[in-house]
Amino acid sequence: MTTAVPPAGSLDPAPPSPSGSSSSSSTGVPGKNARPTLKKPRRDGHSLLRWLFVLPALLYMALFFGYPLVRNVVMSFQRYTPTTYFTGEAPFTGLDNWRAVFSNELFADSLWHTAVFTVGSLTGQFTIGLALAVFFSRRFRLSGAIRAVLLLPWLVPMVVSAVVWRRMLDQDHGILNTALQAVGLADGGVPWLSSPSVALLSAIMVNIWIGIPFNMVILYGGLQEIPRELYEAASLDGASPWRTFRSVTLPLLRPVITVVLVLGFMSTVKILDLILALTSGGPADSTQTLGTVTYQLSFLQLDFGQGAVVGNVLIVISAVFAVLYLRANRADFGTGK
Amino acid sequence: MRRPRGIRVIAAATAALVPVTLGLTGCAATPDPGTVTVLNSATDAAEHDANQKFLDRCARPLGLKVEQISVPADTVASKALRMASSDSLTDILELDGSELPQFAETGGLRPLEEVGLDTAGFSDSATSLGSFEGTQYAVARSVNSLALLYNKDLLRAADVEPPTTWAELRAAAKKLTSGNTYGMAFSASPNADGVYQFLPFFWSGGGDEVRLDNGKGEAALTLWKELMGDGSVSKSVVNWNQQDVNDQFVAGRAAMMINGPWQVPVLSAQDKVDWAVATIPVPRAGQDAVAPIGGTVMAVPKSDDSGREKNAGKILTCLNSERNQLAWGESVNNVPTRASAAASYAEKHPELAPFVDLVATARSRTAKVGTRWPVVNDALAGAFQSVLTGRAGPEAALKNAQRQASAGEK
């Protein structure tokens, strides 16, 4: 992990880094020799040029990511209400918003629901997506056609899928219960969306269905990258399919897997539209997530300060995973190449 | 107006989240002095055109033009806030009645008296819908409420009269339940739709939104719970919005339902179900049903240019003439707010008369709690949802709701 640090040092103003002798001795020497040569052109204005290339991206980041982020943090310490929009006044109230949100039972519940929803969705999406990707990586007739059909959930707008699922999961007249009853599996009908103990599970199920295509496509792409010879070698060695999967497929797929999981995590943890359309957070708040609570606080109760607090919590959670992802990726660059 | 929600909510949520978090503001072009702008939710083409006709008819004699900016109902408030922050708010702002206090509290609305609008002759309930802390900030052209709609054929076949009391309702619903058909349907979704439908029961039973746990609100929760326990109401009502309830009714899967006059066009357009309207049953015979009043109200935001405010005032005065109110009420199936216009409306549409009667006694959701309504709304939704799903008894649910509602009190 520490190998990642030196490149940043290339912008260090002092070329023969005084601390270099102590710190880089542990990480390995090669990088150290390369550094002074990198430094040199700086005086000819190359460095300035380099910064000019980076500048648009930096400005973009500052404007569209930095600014809202800072605003959101500041807002969470303010009494930010409709009045603010008219008068521009947003008095600072210290930790009031934070205290209010953290003492709200709904917040703790939604945190828990978000965790279950995210872990459940990711597990389901990933395992099914991977299974399908492996399945389709063999060539057979109609494979293309079936794959195209499997992509459909991805193409349908989230809200539309949710509304269709809401009909299908109706306790009395939904097609799912009708089918289950026809084969004698569920007598009174499963209360998919009308029981607080089942609704979150149903929401996870729908989200898995929505997420499978994404997982499948990316993992399928990753599988295509694995050289065929490795599989031939494995079969010559007499490895079982499971052993081949574990020792060839999984390790070589690792970088793709991290991408899929992290991107999946980011989009799942802030879920809002699916749940609003499916259950509106009910029944009895059993499907409230951090996303729906933010929506409720900000846009229904118009308490933008408290809404910002929940938003910040979401940002922190996402940021932690983004950092983990970056570190994992760096490790890949270090060892994989 | 409580309108069919569903997809709109999400579209609204997504649309609203992005710009507000960015803190960016809408374009603030300098408006033409001869044009009066209106922000409303008339996104439906037919409604937009009908509205434009009324607006034009009022503006032309004044030498003015009117321009509507229509956004989905759930985004009107956030759009208006964004416009306010860039000083580009329209001359007339049309909001849902339940959202008015939030805007009135900001001090950004001009009292109607100051723009020359006289609300004498309006029904009390309509007046309360547009006022905040004793000042009239907005005016409703027409209002709506809820009533009991029933399937005439099914009631005749089961030999049941439209129920007038809770006991009769329970008995009738039980008798009407058979096969694929439930006796009764209502929306108990955890949002404004469900709360709007719960209020006529809650209020008629003596419930109070200021003190949810005053000991009288439990009756309504018990009634809903019993209807579900009897099997007279689908367990899915906790997910149904008002649109879903209407769909069930039209499909013949519910013999009676609670709904509003905005469903009339849908109901009239089909010939599967022969329907009629009755007042919502009350706890004991002889009582008056207390239903919530809904609808949009029009306000005049403060402007640097008093001429613009005056123009807006003139347009509002014209829109609310007896003749225009009546014609507007008929076009949207809502009840005019001028007592005299309401009377002629009831005369011309006897089948909707129960709505007219209800509106006269109906209560504004925000009259008592004002800007705290959204919090109370959520607390009430939590109460009936937890009772219907068996998570809590009526008493505990309302105690909890009161705690939730007062947690936000400053």
Side-chain angles (χ1 to χ4, degrees):
Chain A
M1 232 55 94
T2 36
T3 42
V5 182
S10 60
L11 295 167
D12 198 319
S17 166
S19 62
S21 53
S22 62
S23 74
S24 58
S25 58
S26 61
T27 59
V29 206
K32 216 183 141 204
N33 296 337
R35 238 184 298 151
T37 53
L38 266 176
K39 289 269 146 157
K40 241 197 203 154
R42 199 167 60 110
R43 276 178 210 110
D44 327 336
H46 271 87
S47 169
L48 195 72
L49 197 65
R50 249 190 302 177
W51 275 106
L52 271 177
F53 278 112
V54 179
L55 195 66
L58 277 183
L59 278 179
Y60 178 85
M61 296 277 286
L63 189 63
F64 290 102
F65 294 92
Y67 175 73
L69 209 75
V70 172
R71 266 300 282 272
N72 211 50
V73 171
V74 174
M75 208 188 255
S76 67
F77 296 102
Q78 286 175 314
R79 184 163 160 68
Y80 209 101
T81 59
T83 311
T84 311
Y85 285 87
F86 281 89
T87 61
E89 285 163 23
F92 282 90
T93 55
L95 288 171
D96 279 6
N97 290 329
W98 292 81
R99 239 176 263 132
V101 167
F102 283 106
S103 64
N104 186 344
E105 288 160 43
L106 190 57
F107 176 74
D109 285 350
S110 71
L111 204 62
W112 170 239
H113 297 155
T114 309
V116 173
F117 184 84
T118 308
V119 171
S121 297
L122 284 186
T123 317
Q125 288 172 357
F126 178 75
T127 41
I128 300 177
L130 181 61
L132 285 171
V134 170
F135 179 69
F136 282 109
S137 62
R138 285 174 235 178
R139 288 164 219 296
F140 56 92
R141 266 151 59 99
L142 286 181
S143 143
I146 302 174
R147 229 165 8 152
V149 172
L150 280 169
L151 282 184
L152 278 178
W154 208 4
L155 302 176
V156 181
M158 182 84 101
V159 176
V160 177
S161 331
V163 170
V164 172
W165 272 101
R166 202 160 68 92
R167 302 243 153 166
M168 300 209 298
L169 295 174
D170 186 276
Q171 187 170 357
D172 301 311
H173 307 288
I175 189 162
L176 203 59
N177 274 347
T178 315
L180 285 178
Q181 272 158 343
V183 296
L185 271 176
D187 264 348
V190 180
W192 297 109
L193 298 174
S194 43
S195 157
S197 39
V198 186
L200 188 61
L201 200 72
S202 305
I204 293 174
M205 203 172 74
V206 174
N207 194 43
I208 289 177
W209 177 82
I210 289 171
I212 287 174
F214 169 75
N215 281 263
M216 187 185 80
V217 167
I218 308 282
L219 293 171
Y220 179 82
L223 285 175
Q224 301 302 303
E225 297 282 300
I226 302 177
R228 298 278 125 202
E229 303 88 68
L230 290 177
Y231 288 103
E232 282 162 26
S235 76
L236 283 178
D237 287 342
S240 69
W242 173 240
R243 180 70 208 256
T244 315
F245 178 78
R246 244 185 29 195
S247 308
V248 179
T249 312
L250 268 190
L252 287 166
L253 210 52
R254 231 196 81 201
V256 182
I257 291 176
T258 30
V259 171
V260 166
L261 287 182
V262 169
L263 290 182
F265 176 85
M266 301 283 198
S267 60
T268 311
V269 79
K270 63 175 167 55
I271 198 92
L272 172 72
D273 40 6
L274 170 74
I275 290 187
L276 278 189
L278 206 59
T279 61
S280 310
D285 289 329
S286 61
T287 52
Q288 293 271 15
T289 60
L290 291 175
T292 60
V293 171
T294 318
Y295 170 75
Q296 192 174 322
L297 287 171
S298 295
F299 298 109
L300 297 180
Q301 304 190 356
L302 299 182
D303 192 330
F304 299 96
Q306 288 196 24
V309 172
V310 186
N312 284 330
V313 172
L314 261 177
I315 291 171
V316 169
I317 295 176
S318 293
V320 167
F321 276 81
V323 168
L324 285 180
Y325 164 68
L326 287 177
R327 296 190 74 167
N329 247 15
R330 266 201 221 146
D332 277 338
F333 290 136
T335 57
K337 296 219 165 167
Chain B
M1 195 193 309
R2 296 260 55 83
R3 22 176 99 249
R5 279 163 184 261
I7 293 186
R8 280 178 170 188
V9 180
I10 299 87
T14 348
L17 274 168
V18 178
V20 172
T21 44
L22 285 181
L24 296 178
T25 50
C27 42
T30 342
D32 167 18
T35 304
V36 173
T37 52
V38 182
L39 177 66
N40 63 17
S41 60
T43 44
D44 176 70
E47 192 188 341
H48 191 92
D49 292 346
N51 215 5
Q52 191 68 43
K53 233 183 281 164
F54 279 89
L55 291 166
D56 287 344
R57 214 183 294 155
C58 282
R60 219 171 291 130
L62 300 166
L64 297 168
K65 276 195 294 188
V66 182
E67 202 181 299
Q68 292 182 78
I69 300 170
S70 302
V71 296
D74 298 280
T75 52
V76 172
S78 57
K79 171 89 178 165
L81 289 177
R82 267 178 285 136
M83 288 175 127
S85 69
S86 62
D87 272 328
S88 60
L89 205 47
T90 51
D91 302 311
I92 295 174
L93 173 60
E94 186 168 1
L95 294 162
D96 189 280
S98 66
E99 294 169 337
L100 179 77
Q102 311 269 356
F103 279 81
E105 194 198 29
T106 66
L109 300 180
R110 184 69 67 194
L112 288 184
E113 209 181 321
E114 293 176 26
V115 295
L117 188 91
D118 183 16
T119 50
F122 283 65
S123 64
D124 290 348
S125 49
T127 313
S128 75
L129 190 64
S131 58
F132 176 69
E133 290 179 351
T135 308
Q136 196 75 32
Y137 285 102
V139 61
R141 279 193 281 177
S142 65
V143 286
N144 61 57
S145 190
L146 293 166
L148 181 80
L149 285 90
Y150 60 92
N151 184 323
K152 283 193 201 164
D153 297 330
L154 289 177
L155 263 72
R156 205 177 303 122
D159 196 21
V160 170
E161 286 292 308
T164 57
T165 64
W166 287 4
E168 284 176 26
L169 171 68
R170 213 180 142 190
K174 211 168 182 174
K175 221 171 159 189
L176 288 163
T177 302
S178 71
N180 260 340
T181 305
Y182 284 102
M184 173 79 179
F186 49 76
S187 160
S189 58
N191 49 32
D193 268 25
V195 174
Y196 196 58
Q197 297 228 336
F198 180 61
L199 286 174
F201 295 98
F202 184 67
W203 279 339
S204 300
D208 181 2
E209 64 271 35
V210 180
R211 281 228 65 83
L212 298 172
D213 55 352
N214 70 349
K216 294 193 173 143
E218 286 86 346
L221 286 172
T222 309
L223 174 73
W224 272 23
K225 179 79 188 163
E226 283 171 348
L227 283 167
M228 190 179 268
D230 291 345
S232 312
V233 162
S234 167
K235 290 198 163 63
S236 300
V237 293
V238 291
N239 287 310
W240 288 350
N241 56 36
Q242 308 192 49
Q243 189 65 43
D244 297 321
V245 170
N246 198 50
D247 290 347
Q248 297 288 326
F249 183 74
V250 169
R253 289 181 194 145
M256 303 182 286
M257 69 164 173
I258 303 290
N259 231 318
W262 56 88
Q263 305 288 11
V264 168
V266 185
L267 290 167
S268 306
Q270 54 85 39
D271 44 17
K272 270 169 78 183
V273 172
D274 188 13
W275 55 278
V277 183
T279 28
I280 290 182
V282 286
R284 279 176 309 283
Q287 282 182 308
D288 275 334
V290 190
I293 192 165
T296 57
V297 294
M298 293 173 129
V300 179
K302 281 184 184 163
S303 155
D304 303 332
D305 182 348
S306 69
R308 297 197 73 92
E309 291 181 2
K310 290 267 151 45
N311 285 341
K314 283 179 197 156
I315 300 265
L316 285 187
T317 306
C318 165
L319 285 176
N320 287 288
S321 72
E322 191 181 330
R323 220 186 88 222
N324 278 336
Q325 270 207 355
L326 181 60
W328 175 252
E330 288 178 325
S331 83
V332 293
N333 292 296
N334 277 4
V335 183
T337 52
R338 270 188 193 280
S340 53
S344 2
Y345 181 84
E347 221 168 274
K348 288 176 78 176
H349 303 278
E351 77 281 7
L352 298 178
F355 285 113
V356 180
D357 297 340
L358 273 174
V359 158
T361 55
R363 213 155 108 184
S364 148
R365 282 163 285 174
T366 55
K368 280 181 158 185
V369 293
T371 55
R372 280 186 47 239
W373 174 253
V375 180
V376 174
N377 184 83
D378 283 340
L380 271 176
F384 63 68
Q385 284 244 315
S386 54
V387 168
L388 287 179
T389 56
R391 286 228 155 162
E395 207 187 323
L398 281 175
K399 277 230 162 67
N400 191 30
Q402 177 58 39
R403 213 176 56 230
Q404 247 177 292
S406 51
E409 251 170 319
K410 301 253 153 74

